[in-house]
Amino acid sequence: MSNTNQLGLPLVQPAQAQKHVTVNEALALLDGLVQLVIVSRSVTLSPASVIDGVCYSVPVGAVNEWSGQDGRLAVGTNGGWAFVDPKRGWRAVILDEGEVA
């Protein structure tokens, strides 16, 4: 069985029986483990290599893959970026600043 890189969550496999068991296991792990960690909120150029689970806050003026995504979170997934709108009340550690935001 394969797992995700960041939290080690189990992934549903093709033709797997009882997929709900794997999904429920992953959701339970997420419920207990998720804490938002942002690598940086000042980097305007996306990293050359994408690591699954790595998160950046996209600043104003970002370019290339992050262009037009100002204020969103860029989450590394499957070799690319998924963009998520942060919600009011979310807390995160900003690694390169050593701050909580």
Side-chain angles (χ1 to χ4, degrees):
M1 176 177 282
S2 297
N3 292 351
T4 62
N5 290 335
Q6 186 70 11
L7 296 176
L9 303 176
L11 297 172
V12 175
Q13 300 301 301
Q16 176 182 330
Q18 297 185 328
K19 291 178 169 92
H20 66 282
V21 173
T22 302
V23 171
N24 289 344
E25 180 183 348
L27 290 172
L29 289 170
L30 280 170
D31 191 50
L33 298 175
V34 170
Q35 293 185 15
L36 184 56
V37 176
I38 296 173
V39 174
S40 179
R41 59 180 172 184
S42 61
V43 174
T44 58
L45 180 63
S46 60
S49 61
V50 179
I51 299 171
D52 285 350
V54 170
C55 185
Y56 289 82
S57 181
V58 182
V60 173
V63 295
N64 296 345
E65 292 177 278
W66 292 356
S67 180
Q69 302 294 335
D70 300 354
R72 300 183 84 194
L73 299 176
V75 182
T77 180
N78 293 322
W81 298 101
F83 297 96
V84 177
D85 293 316
K87 307 294 185 227
R88 186 178 191 106
W90 282 9
R91 301 185 97 187
V93 174
I94 313 295
L95 291 180
D96 67 350
E97 298 174 13
E99 299 280 330
V100 175

